[in-house]
């Protein structure tokens, strides 16, 4: 559970606390601290520590002082604790207190959580599993996933290095109920949300509640410009984690401003994105390889903008070329995006 920054547990370990601390990683850090050299710890632990900004300090200290030797993944997150309604993504880790790192990490996976009868075993290079400046833990389970990381990591750019950024939608419904509208009243602007993301394009309006907002709060409004919209939440069982659509401002010329609900993310730039750029970003994030990369990086059903902003992307010139190819081909499918992306790898 999350705790305040000033509670005794957090105050005892200020070096690893950033933002809202969580008891589970404070507990794990204290356990490693108390181990004798070469002692071992085996924990059932939320997967969320493997990436993200809030747990970066913990990761750096934990993986500096400890060597990750074994990771076990559960495919069915709702069956880990048989008699409990626990839906949080959990893993089992074995860590040795040592600054000497092994060459390999054992990664095991199972569907049947009662007796582990269907366990699969994969040995991954340590420097592939634990990688990057922020020491993300990439949970690879086969050679194909390692190949995906290897191919995409050859690109040195990220969205921020290109002057782009993924952000979370601006409007939180329950905090702004008085401003929400079901229809296009005078002064109302569109409020785009997950229900408007359909097969690569924005479908608006759809006639289902709270599709407009009337507000003077600039923090809830953004320029009617070109964006890539990305769903923030998906179901564990869905085929894709990254689900995106191209938003083009010219299709809504009557509005100078729009708003986005916080259940979607959007990619924008310091300057307005060209249509080629937006379609090129769609190629990237609608591809199988990038969806796979994100799943390796984050097991959550929530698309975290911090992690997407840390992922490698092609140079802007290649993104624009890929966008032009997608527009010319008029095929927004995942297969078409895969074909275009692979031709530029």
């Amino acid at each position: 559970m999350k705790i305040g920054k000033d509670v005794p547990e957090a105050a005892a370990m200020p070096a690893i606390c950033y933002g809202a601390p969580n008891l589970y990683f404070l507990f794990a850090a204290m356990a490693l601290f108390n181990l004798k050299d070469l002692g071992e710890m085996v924990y059932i632990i939320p997967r969320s520590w493997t990436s993200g900004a809030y747990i970066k300090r913990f990761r750096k200290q934990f993986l500096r002082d400890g060597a990750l030797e074994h990771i076990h993944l559960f495919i069915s997150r709702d069956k880990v604790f048989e008699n409990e309604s626990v839906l949080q993504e959990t893993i089992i880790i074995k860590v040795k207190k040592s600054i000497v790192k092994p060459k390999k990490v054992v990664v095991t996976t199972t569907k049947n959580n009662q007796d582990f009868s269907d366990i699969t075993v994969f040995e991954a290079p340590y420097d592939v599993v634990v990688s990057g400046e922020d020491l993300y833990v990439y949970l690879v389970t086969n050679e194909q996933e390692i190949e995906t990381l290897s191919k995409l990591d050859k690109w040195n750019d990220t969205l921020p290095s290109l002057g782009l950024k993924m952000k979370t939608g601006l409007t939180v419904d329950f905090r702004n109920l008085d401003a929400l509208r079901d229809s296009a009243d005078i002064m109302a602007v569109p409020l785009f949300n997950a229900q408007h993301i359909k097969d690569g394009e924005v479908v608006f309006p759809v006639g289902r509640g709270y599709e407009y907002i009337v507000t003077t709060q600039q923090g809830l409004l953004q320029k009617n410009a070109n964006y890539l919209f990305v769903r923030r939440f998906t179901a564990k069982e869905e085929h894709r984690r990254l689900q995106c659509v191209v938003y083009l401002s010219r299709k809504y010329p009557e509005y100078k401003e729009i708003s986005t609900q916080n259940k979607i993310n959007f990619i924008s730039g310091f300057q307005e994105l060209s249509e080629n750029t937006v379609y090129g970003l769609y190629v990237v994030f609608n591809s199988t390889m990038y969806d796979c990369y994100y799943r390796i990086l984050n097991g959550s059903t929530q698309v975290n903008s911090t992690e997407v902003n840390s992922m490698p992307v092609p140079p802007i010139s290649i993104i624009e070329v890929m966008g032009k190819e997608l527009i010319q081909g008029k095929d927004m499918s995942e297969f078409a995006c895969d074909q275009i992306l692979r031709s530029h790898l």
Side-chain angles (χ1 to χ4, degrees):
M1 63 182 228
K2 290 182 180 180
I3 57 175
K5 297 179 183 179
D6 55 350
V7 302
E9 294 89 347
M13 290 180 280
I16 65 169
C17 291
Y18 174 81
N22 196 304
L23 269 180
Y24 87 79
F25 74 76
L26 297 181
F27 193 85
M30 186 58 75
L32 187 64
F33 175 78
N34 282 322
L35 273 179
K36 294 181 179 179
D37 288 343
L38 304 183
E40 297 175 343
M41 56 186 280
V42 177
Y43 271 28
I44 300 174
I45 191 169
R47 177 175 169 164
S48 57
W49 74 277
T50 60
S51 62
Y54 285 119
I55 315 180
K56 179 171 69 173
R57 291 183 182 178
F58 162 73
R59 266 196 318 275
K60 287 193 170 183
Q61 181 167 310
F62 192 67
L63 296 170
R64 180 195 68 198
D65 298 338
L68 192 57
E69 295 188 330
H70 192 142
I71 304 170
H72 184 79
L73 310 178
F74 299 99
I75 291 178
S76 299
R77 63 174 179 159
D78 59 339
K79 297 178 182 176
V80 177
F81 302 99
E82 187 175 15
N83 298 317
E84 305 292 338
S85 298
V86 177
L87 287 179
Q88 186 166 20
E89 194 85 10
T90 51
I91 62 178
I92 304 176
I93 58 171
K94 177 187 173 189
V95 178
K96 179 182 286 187
K97 187 170 183 177
S98 172
I99 60 172
V100 179
K101 313 306 178 190
K103 292 183 178 180
K104 302 275 189 178
V105 180
V106 178
V107 182
T108 52
T109 311
T110 189
K111 293 180 181 178
N112 185 345
N113 301 328
Q114 294 180 340
D115 60 9
F116 295 88
S117 59
D118 61 347
I119 197 166
T120 61
V121 181
F122 180 68
E123 291 191 354
Y126 194 92
D127 59 359
V128 170
V129 176
V130 180
S131 181
E133 183 180 341
D134 292 336
L135 291 186
Y136 282 170
V137 178
Y138 294 84
L139 299 182
V140 289
T141 60
N142 53 53
E143 290 290 349
Q144 182 181 357
E145 292 178 348
I146 289 181
E147 182 185 6
T148 295
L149 295 182
S150 175
K151 285 185 175 181
L152 299 187
D153 282 340
K154 290 179 180 178
W155 280 320
N156 297 319
D157 284 304
T158 61
L159 290 176
S161 76
L162 298 180
L164 310 173
K165 198 170 186 180
M166 176 177 279
K167 303 176 183 178
T168 301
L170 307 179
T171 299
V172 180
D173 280 0
F174 71 87
R175 292 178 183 166
N176 300 279
L177 288 174
D178 292 345
L180 304 184
R181 301 289 187 273
D182 291 334
S183 58
D185 297 350
I186 296 175
M187 304 298 292
V189 301
L191 174 60
F192 294 100
N193 56 50
Q195 67 180 342
H196 302 124
I197 295 178
K198 304 279 186 181
D199 300 323
E201 295 187 27
V202 174
V203 178
F204 180 89
V206 294
R208 289 202 300 270
Y210 295 157
E211 294 187 277
Y212 297 88
I213 186 170
V214 177
T215 183
T216 57
Q217 295 184 56
Q218 287 304 304
L220 301 181
L221 298 171
Q222 58 201 90
K223 183 181 177 182
N224 184 17
N226 297 332
Y227 299 103
L228 188 77
F229 289 164
V230 183
R231 281 181 185 264
R232 251 187 95 199
F233 299 97
T234 56
K236 171 74 173 176
E237 296 72 26
E238 287 190 73
H239 168 61
R240 290 190 58 85
R241 186 70 65 241
L242 298 177
Q243 299 181 16
C244 50
V245 296
V246 170
Y247 174 84
L248 300 177
S249 59
R250 63 175 169 81
K251 293 189 175 182
Y252 305 90
E254 65 270 38
Y255 300 106
K256 291 184 177 180
E257 295 177 309
I258 63 170
S259 186
T260 45
Q261 188 196 47
N262 77 321
K263 290 186 174 61
I264 67 172
N265 295 320
F266 62 91
I267 297 178
S268 60
F270 299 128
Q271 298 180 339
E272 182 168 354
L273 307 183
S274 70
E275 292 193 11
N276 283 346
T277 299
V278 178
Y279 276 99
L281 291 171
Y282 179 85
V283 170
V284 170
F285 292 106
N286 194 54
S287 69
T288 305
M289 291 185 74
Y290 270 87
D291 192 70
C292 177
Y293 194 109
Y294 189 80
R295 286 174 181 268
I296 295 168
L297 179 59
N298 187 316
S300 169
T301 55
Q302 177 174 331
V303 176
N304 187 304
S305 57
T306 301
E307 288 159 6
V308 172
N309 287 327
S310 74
M311 292 169 63
V313 295
I316 194 68
S317 58
I318 293 180
I319 291 175
E320 290 172 350
V321 169
M322 292 194 299
K324 188 175 182 180
E325 292 173 4
L326 186 70
I327 294 170
Q328 291 173 343
K330 298 181 181 180
D331 182 356
M332 302 290 285
S333 68
E334 183 177 343
F335 178 79
C337 293
D338 289 344
Q339 294 288 95
I340 294 172
L341 180 65
R342 288 184 180 278
S343 72
H344 291 277
L345 281 171

